[in-house]
Amino acid sequence: MARAASIAVLLAALAAGGCDERRRAATPLPGFSAPFVFGRFQVPADNPLTAEAVALGRRLFYDPRLSAAGTVSCSTCHIQRLAFTDGRATSVGVSGRPLAFNSMTLANLIWGPQRFFWNGRAASLEEQALVPIEHADEMAQDLGRLVAQLSADASYRELFETAYGETSPDTIARALASFVRTLISSNSRYDQFLRGEIALEAQEELGRKLFMAHPDVKVSLRGANCIDCHSQFLTGGFSARYDGFANNGLDDEEHLQPGLQLVTGSPAHRGLFKVPSLRNIALTAPYMHDGRFTTLEQVLDHYDRGIQNSSTLSPLIVEADNRGTAGEGRISLHLTPEEKAAIIAFLHTLTDQDFVTAERFSDPFAHK
Amino acid sequence: MNRVRKATLRMLVLLALAAALGLAGWWLYRGAQPVELTLYFHPFVGPEPLVLNESRYPNPGGEGRFTVRDFQFLLSNIRLSGATGAYVESDSYHLVRFDGDDPAAVIVLHDVPRRDYERIEFGIGVDAAANRSLTPRGDLDPNGRMAWTWEVGYKFVLFEGALLRGTASVPLVYHVGFDESYRPISTDLHGEPLDSRQARLDFRVDILRLFQGATTVDMAALPAVKFDRADAALLARNFAAMVTPMWPDAARTSRDP
């Protein structure tokens, strides 16, 4: 069983990987650790996690100067107390026009699919970081103008000089990516359970078992097949290739959006979106890539009996049926109301109060 | 004149000695240079190369045609052995997957000592010790798609697709795991030369053989294999026949645990 094997991750080696001669300081991040069961992760060799880069990234994350009007920062749509989501169906930036997509949680992005945005169009956090800044509806900032503004600020000049040796779009992206990589949520009740510190309540434990099982009538195993897309410990998408993207039956063939197909060009990827981490899911409503569901009850009802069939829907979803009637018409898990309530109870064990209140992730300008 | 001839002779002898030494040195050097051995796995469904998402393959035990949407398996504990010694790959856990973008799946073994190996051994699936461990080794990832849960271990072979009968489509889900399904296979290299700097071995992976063995599976009657151990054993018995060498006269043995 997963025990308390929480290992401190040595970052000295990572920090030593960089070779920017002008960088003045590269202090390994103090106290950076991750649970053993979350597995391996990688930090780009050209952007080692250093205390200086993370401190700079945190400041940029909360700075509204990243938007044209000086009104919107990353934290406008990624609010810490909501596990870095914004509580809206789809986000609203400087233009006031609602965006097409729901704001995703930033928890534990160092694991899972290393492609970002719901359709996976960014191949790294560094690549992702600049997109909202330049997007006309999100922050509408010109990168040249942003660099000029930050360079005119003595404290930023010093921070950039210390962390990277220069102020540029590239170092802005690297600093933001570094901060986001440190946003680790690992002290929920589920984590405490995995470390053997607590037992789950009976209802939560029933929900955990259902979450972790693909149903099999033949051996009387009831399940909600959540684990077919959400990994057992991280509860997020799988990291290999495009395994972390799925068509979860929201739309029928006619209404399928391109999703991952926009990135790969493959018809087999039509309607596939990134599988998000379910960490802090009770705090991150509304749900789905377009925020169409406002409650976890609606989400469970969707998976139980709302699945729309289409050519790219996974056989794992079509076949998952606790009555063993798959292939005979309507797709349904056939869960009982008690089972759905149990799964929701388990999902609440993924809430991590430390994560949503930790000062190291909070607005540095508010602590001045 | 005599002196000149003597000097020439001496020169020739020296040159011959130098050449012999050079040759021996080169021979020793070459012998000490490790080999890079690449294993290629070519996916087939019966006689045809695998094409994903196309309903062209007949149901081996009944009516209808099936499509393959995803097919991957875990291959473990690669070992080369012969009279002069063995090579054992460390953390030898490989996910062999066919995503349709490459004609073959590839495993590269670096720094294989140059020896006269007589056989190659590996297992289909994951040995019991690794199957019960949460340590990420090789391609084993407890948070990956091949992981069931920590209570059950890994899926050894994953096949997902559909069976089409008329207008009806039946989902096919074959997730075959459990400790007892692990199949070690030993294949005779039969003089396959592994001494070039970039040697290769080719294997045929015939997905149809998963369903055609001691018993032939009617996909309509058995559209899913998951946690039923008897069903898993039924398909696991065919693991060895599913992965076969493509070089001639390769004698092989597979033992059932």
Side-chain angles (χ1 to χ4, degrees):
Chain A
M1 236 302 293
R3 266 174 297 143
S6 179
I7 52 155
V9 179
L10 292 172
L11 281 151
L14 293 170
C19 53
D20 191 333
E21 287 168 26
R22 285 174 297 178
R23 189 185 307 122
R24 285 189 190 159
T27 314
L29 210 53
F32 185 90
S33 73
F36 169 74
V37 293
F38 285 7
R40 288 179 291 224
F41 61 85
Q42 282 191 321
V43 175
D46 63 354
N47 191 23
L49 272 180
T50 65
E52 291 77 13
V54 171
L56 172 60
R58 177 180 166 202
R59 201 175 152 109
L60 289 167
F61 186 89
Y62 283 98
D63 196 334
R65 274 180 283 186
L66 264 64
S67 64
T71 50
V72 171
S73 70
C74 305
S75 68
T76 305
C77 301
H78 297 287
I79 302 165
Q80 185 185 10
R81 70 184 160 78
L82 300 178
F84 295 97
T85 62
D86 65 0
R88 296 170 182 266
T90 63
S91 299
V92 179
V94 289
S95 74
R97 282 190 295 268
L99 301 170
F101 293 101
N102 179 258
S103 169
M104 285 178 114
T105 179
L106 303 183
N108 300 341
L109 291 185
I110 200 167
W111 295 277
Q114 292 303 296
R115 296 201 74 98
F116 302 91
F117 294 117
W118 283 100
N119 62 8
R121 65 188 185 276
S124 68
L125 278 172
E126 283 79 1
E127 190 182 326
Q128 185 278 333
L130 296 182
V131 177
I133 299 176
E134 292 187 282
H135 192 289
D137 290 319
E138 296 188 50
M139 294 156 106
Q141 177 65 292
D142 176 77
L143 289 176
R145 187 165 164 257
L146 176 59
V147 169
Q149 281 180 347
L150 296 175
S151 302
D153 180 324
S155 58
Y156 264 119
R157 263 205 319 276
E158 173 67 24
L159 285 167
F160 272 102
E161 183 64 30
T162 311
Y164 291 110
E166 64 170 30
T167 309
S168 69
D170 179 54
T171 56
I172 291 169
R174 285 157 75 184
L176 283 167
S178 292
F179 173 63
V180 170
R181 286 195 178 98
T182 67
L183 299 176
I184 294 172
S185 176
S186 61
N187 199 25
S188 66
R189 291 190 60 239
Y190 181 49
D191 293 297
Q192 292 162 17
F193 162 77
L194 291 174
R195 295 197 295 261
E197 295 165 8
I198 61 161
L200 297 181
E201 305 289 332
Q203 190 192 31
E204 295 164 342
E205 177 61 12
L206 172 63
R208 185 188 72 80
K209 287 207 162 95
L210 290 163
F211 184 102
M212 302 295 164
H214 182 98
D216 192 343
V217 175
K218 225 166 179 173
V219 293
S220 307
L221 177 69
R222 295 187 64 86
N225 78 329
C226 314
I227 193 168
D228 287 337
C229 294
H230 296 276
S231 59
Q232 58 182 329
F233 301 118
L234 288 163
T235 69
F238 310 131
S239 59
R241 303 246 181 137
Y242 298 114
D243 290 351
F245 290 79
N247 170 354
N248 62 344
L250 290 171
D251 297 309
D252 61 16
E253 191 73 31
E254 194 189 336
H255 298 97
L256 271 192
Q257 290 179 275
L260 182 64
Q261 185 184 12
L262 209 70
V263 178
T264 65
S266 166
H269 290 155
R270 183 160 163 255
L272 273 65
F273 288 98
K274 184 167 175 172
V275 176
S277 169
L278 301 183
R279 295 301 182 137
N280 304 292
I281 192 72
L283 306 176
T284 63
Y287 303 107
M288 305 298 166
H289 64 266
D290 51 9
R292 69 176 69 185
F293 299 134
T294 53
T295 65
L296 287 173
E297 284 74 13
Q298 287 173 350
V299 172
L300 265 291
D301 283 343
H302 162 72
Y303 285 120
D304 188 37
R305 52 187 158 83
I307 294 287
Q308 304 295 304
N309 208 345
S310 63
S311 53
T312 60
L313 187 65
S314 167
L316 289 178
I317 289 182
V318 184
E319 191 268 347
D321 184 342
N322 285 290
R323 272 192 207 155
T325 49
E328 294 171 16
R330 187 169 185 178
I331 300 164
S332 175
L333 276 167
H334 289 112
L335 293 170
T336 66
E338 292 73 29
E339 287 172 328
K340 284 192 264 191
I343 293 162
I344 291 171
F346 169 67
L347 292 175
H348 277 79
T349 71
L350 300 173
T351 301
D352 177 356
Q353 284 304 328
D354 286 356
F355 180 70
V356 298
T357 56
E359 193 182 322
R360 66 188 183 282
F361 303 149
S362 67
D363 183 352
F365 301 105
H367 295 282
K368 279 274 160 80
Chain B
M1 188 64 192
N2 198 16
R3 207 190 297 163
V4 173
R5 202 180 292 163
K6 252 187 183 167
T8 310
L9 203 67
R10 207 174 288 152
M11 275 297 283
L12 277 172
V13 167
L14 275 172
L15 270 172
L17 260 172
L21 267 172
L23 201 69
W26 174 81
W27 184 253
L28 282 171
Y29 169 80
R30 184 177 170 279
Q33 284 299 294
V35 174
E36 184 179 278
L37 173 61
T38 307
L39 311 181
Y40 289 85
F41 296 88
H42 305 270
F44 284 84
V45 181
E48 287 188 70
L50 167 69
V51 181
L52 294 173
N53 300 311
E54 276 197 27
S55 56
R56 52 165 74 183
Y57 311 113
N59 174 3
E63 288 173 26
R65 305 181 88 76
F66 70 89
T67 66
V68 184
R69 178 184 156 117
D70 287 285
F71 183 80
Q72 42 189 264
F73 65 91
L74 287 163
L75 186 150
S76 309
N77 303 312
I78 300 174
R79 184 170 186 273
L80 296 159
S81 60
T84 53
Y87 161 81
V88 179
E89 193 197 22
S90 60
D91 283 336
S92 187
Y93 299 97
H94 300 272
L95 179 62
V96 179
R97 58 186 295 165
F98 304 106
D99 297 300
D101 41 9
D102 294 306
V106 164
I107 294 173
V108 182
L109 306 176
H110 301 279
D111 299 328
V112 178
R114 198 182 291 257
R115 288 198 188 104
D116 288 327
Y117 298 112
E118 287 152 21
R119 72 194 73 85
I120 180 167
E121 294 162 279
F122 52 75
I124 307 294
V126 181
D127 57 89
N131 199 32
R132 294 193 197 119
S133 164
L134 291 176
T135 306
R137 295 167 72 189
D139 288 340
L140 295 182
D141 176 6
N143 287 294
R145 184 181 185 180
M146 294 301 266
W148 256 328
T149 66
W150 72 78
E151 284 132 331
V152 199
Y154 288 94
K155 303 158 193 169
F156 295 176
V157 174
L158 176 151
F159 173 117
E160 293 165 14
L163 177 69
L164 305 160
R165 290 198 301 167
T167 54
S169 172
V170 178
L172 299 176
V173 175
Y174 302 103
H175 290 179
V176 189
F178 297 119
D179 288 348
E180 67 270 21
S181 297
Y182 180 65
R183 281 296 184 286
I185 303 171
S186 172
T187 306
D188 201 327
L189 287 170
H190 228 80
E192 274 298 297
L194 297 188
D195 59 348
S196 65
R197 284 301 300 279
Q198 286 179 332
R200 66 181 284 166
L201 289 172
D202 292 82
F203 293 87
R204 166 192 288 265
V205 178
D206 185 352
I207 296 169
L208 204 58
R209 297 299 291 271
L210 188 59
F211 306 99
Q212 274 183 327
T215 47
T216 297
V217 173
D218 175 4
M219 290 173 156
L222 189 69
V225 171
K226 294 165 292 183
F227 299 106
D228 185 283
R229 298 186 102 110
D231 286 349
L234 184 77
L235 297 190
R237 272 199 287 275
N238 297 334
F239 281 179
M242 184 178 80
V243 183
T244 52
M246 292 175 81
W247 59 92
D249 306 324
R252 46 200 333 255
T253 55
S254 132
R255 64 190 154 82
D256 288 344

